């Protein structure tokens, strides 16, 4: 078995199928750790799969709109927030502001989850190394389709996002999220996890963005920030597309080429890593079934 891509989805696939002695092929020269936002999970599924202990925390949430704070969601804020983030109107997470339990991965999670996995770097022709066994692809659906000479009649749109991370210089251990539905604000969400602040933007921020003021005005925390860094994701928000076209391609690739798509890029779904664990179980069943057995 081969796995294409050493991002988190690919690493989880390698952990799940470790009894198959998988080889992970990565086109970059090192682990593509792009998780600058927050490795925060809704369930212990990823922890259970990897055997790495996560910290269970309780996350509080609110909405900030032009200097006012709201702990009760409404349709107006939801629609403003959805349009701001995706350009479309859908039900979003801010419609539920009740405190929720989440699971926080340790800071060295990526290095630990990759430990012991056979990864080959600087590989741009992974499909040519598949052989007769199955392949799990985490590359983008369009990239895989191009390599398999498959033509789509639909687009797979996305939007870029930017994050700014910083350390909060205070004795702090809280887990909180504030949503910003105001279309005039470049921020759309700010989260605190322990001493780490993560601000997410719909346009590129500048290093002098007034995060210390936001920290005080919307969280009530008076502290300085250090180690600021700005990161970008070209395809940060995957926008809705023709689901049937995506499903038809995934089914075709698995039946004809023994290739199974995984992860948000591979399936063009705005999903969580908890969902990836579920999808791995589905892929396992498909590989083992008589219909898909090679």
């Amino acid at each position: 078995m081969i796995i294409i891509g050493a991002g988190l989805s690919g690493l989880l696939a390698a952990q799940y199928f470790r009894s198959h002695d998988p080889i992970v092929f990565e086109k970059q020269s090192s682990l593509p750790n792009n998780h600058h936002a927050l490795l925060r999970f809704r369930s212990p599924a990823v922890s259970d799969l990897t055997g790495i202990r996560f910290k269970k925390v309780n996350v509080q949430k609110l909405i900030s709109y032009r200097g006012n704070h709201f702990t009760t969601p409404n349709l107006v804020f939801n629609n403003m927030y959805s349009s701001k983030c995706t350009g479309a109107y859908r039900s979003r997470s801010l419609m539920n502001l009740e405190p929720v339990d989440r699971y926080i991965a340790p800071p060295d999670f990526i290095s630990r989850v990759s430990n012991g996995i056979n990864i080959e770097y600087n590989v741009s022709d992974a499909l040519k190394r598949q052989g007769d066994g199955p392949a799990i692809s985490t590359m983008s659906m369009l990239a895989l389709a191009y390599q398999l000479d498959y033509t789509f009649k639909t687009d797979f749109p996305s939007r870029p996002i930017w994050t700014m991370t910083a350390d909060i210089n205070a004795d702090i251990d809280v887990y909180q999220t504030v949503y910003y539905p105001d279309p005039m604000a470049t921020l759309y969400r700010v989260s605190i996890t322990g001493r780490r602040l993560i601000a997410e933007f719909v346009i590129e921020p500048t290093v002098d963005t007034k995060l210390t003021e936001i920290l005080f005005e919307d969280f009530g925390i008076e502290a300085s920030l250090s180690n600021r860094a700005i990161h970008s994701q070209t395809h940060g928000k995957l926008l809705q597309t023709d689901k049937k076209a995506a499903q038809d391609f995934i089914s075709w690739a698995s039946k004809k080429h023994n290739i199974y798509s995984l992860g948000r890029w591979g399936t063009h779904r705005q999903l969580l890593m908890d969902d990836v664990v579920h999808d791995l179980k589905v892929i396992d069943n498909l590989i083992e079934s008589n219909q898909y057995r090679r």
Side-chain angles (χ1 to χ4, degrees):
M1 172 183 288
I2 69 167
I3 297 170
I4 304 172
L8 187 48
S9 292
L11 296 178
L12 292 181
Q15 289 285 347
Y16 184 94
F17 289 106
R18 52 187 174 271
S19 63
H20 293 249
D21 296 322
I23 301 175
V24 180
F25 294 119
E26 170 55 46
K27 66 179 181 180
Q28 298 186 36
S29 59
S30 61
L31 285 176
N33 182 8
N34 298 320
H35 302 280
H36 306 298
L38 178 60
L39 284 177
R40 186 167 71 185
F41 304 91
R42 292 187 179 180
S43 78
V46 174
S47 176
D48 293 342
L49 171 61
T50 61
I52 298 172
R53 180 175 294 180
F54 289 2
K55 181 179 181 180
K56 185 178 181 180
V57 301
N58 191 257
V59 180
Q60 294 83 39
K61 301 181 284 185
L62 62 78
I63 294 170
S64 176
Y65 181 74
R66 299 186 179 179
N68 297 306
H69 298 139
F70 301 85
T71 56
T72 302
N74 63 56
L75 297 178
V76 174
F77 286 152
N78 175 82
N79 294 340
M80 291 171 66
Y81 185 79
S82 178
S83 177
K84 177 179 180 176
C85 293
T86 69
Y89 297 99
R90 303 285 187 271
S91 181
R92 303 292 298 184
S93 58
L94 59 64
M95 283 300 288
N96 180 8
L97 297 180
E98 293 295 319
V100 291
D101 289 335
R102 293 290 184 260
Y103 297 82
I104 307 295
D108 61 347
F109 177 69
I110 297 297
S111 62
R112 290 172 64 181
V113 79
S114 62
N115 186 39
I117 294 176
N118 185 3
I119 305 175
E120 292 189 19
Y121 297 101
N122 299 308
V123 176
S124 57
D125 60 347
L127 285 181
K128 295 181 180 180
R129 309 191 188 193
Q130 180 180 359
D132 296 327
I136 296 177
S137 170
T138 67
M139 73 171 70
S140 75
M141 188 177 293
L142 286 176
L144 179 61
Y146 177 79
Q147 294 197 34
L148 297 179
D149 293 323
Y150 186 98
T151 302
F152 281 110
K153 295 181 180 180
T154 186
D155 294 326
F156 291 88
S158 63
R159 280 191 172 188
I161 64 171
W162 291 263
T163 62
M164 180 181 290
T165 59
D167 294 330
I168 305 172
N169 300 318
D171 183 1
I172 177 174
D173 186 24
V174 298
Y175 299 84
Q176 301 169 342
T177 292
V178 176
Y179 297 96
Y180 299 86
D182 186 353
M184 301 303 293
T186 59
L187 279 167
Y188 67 89
R189 183 169 55 193
V190 176
S191 298
I192 296 175
T193 171
R195 292 186 59 244
R196 192 72 166 161
L197 182 143
I198 306 100
E200 299 168 270
F201 300 81
V202 293
I203 65 173
E204 186 174 4
T206 59
V207 291
D208 60 350
T209 299
K210 298 180 179 180
L211 288 184
T212 52
E213 288 84 347
I214 293 170
L215 187 63
F216 179 74
E217 293 171 0
D218 292 333
F219 292 89
I221 297 172
E222 189 170 7
S224 62
L225 300 173
S226 58
N227 299 321
R228 292 195 188 201
I230 297 174
H231 317 275
S232 64
Q233 294 185 41
T234 304
H235 306 287
K237 293 289 183 182
L238 302 181
L239 307 184
Q240 189 165 341
T241 188
D242 185 340
K243 291 183 179 180
K244 186 177 185 304
Q247 292 167 352
D248 287 347
F249 169 73
I250 292 172
S251 177
W252 174 84
S254 62
K255 292 177 180 178
K256 185 173 179 62
H257 295 282
N258 207 12
I259 299 173
Y260 303 84
S261 296
L262 179 71
R264 64 193 303 263
W265 311 118
T267 62
H268 199 85
R269 291 153 57 215
Q270 198 72 33
L271 45 70
L272 302 168
M273 286 300 115
D274 310 75
D275 302 317
V276 170
V277 175
H278 171 269
D279 289 352
L280 283 167
K281 296 175 183 178
V282 173
I283 289 173
D284 192 12
N285 289 333
L286 291 175
I287 292 174
E288 292 299 321
S289 70
N290 289 331
Q291 181 179 0
Y292 289 89
R293 184 172 296 154
R294 294 299 192 270

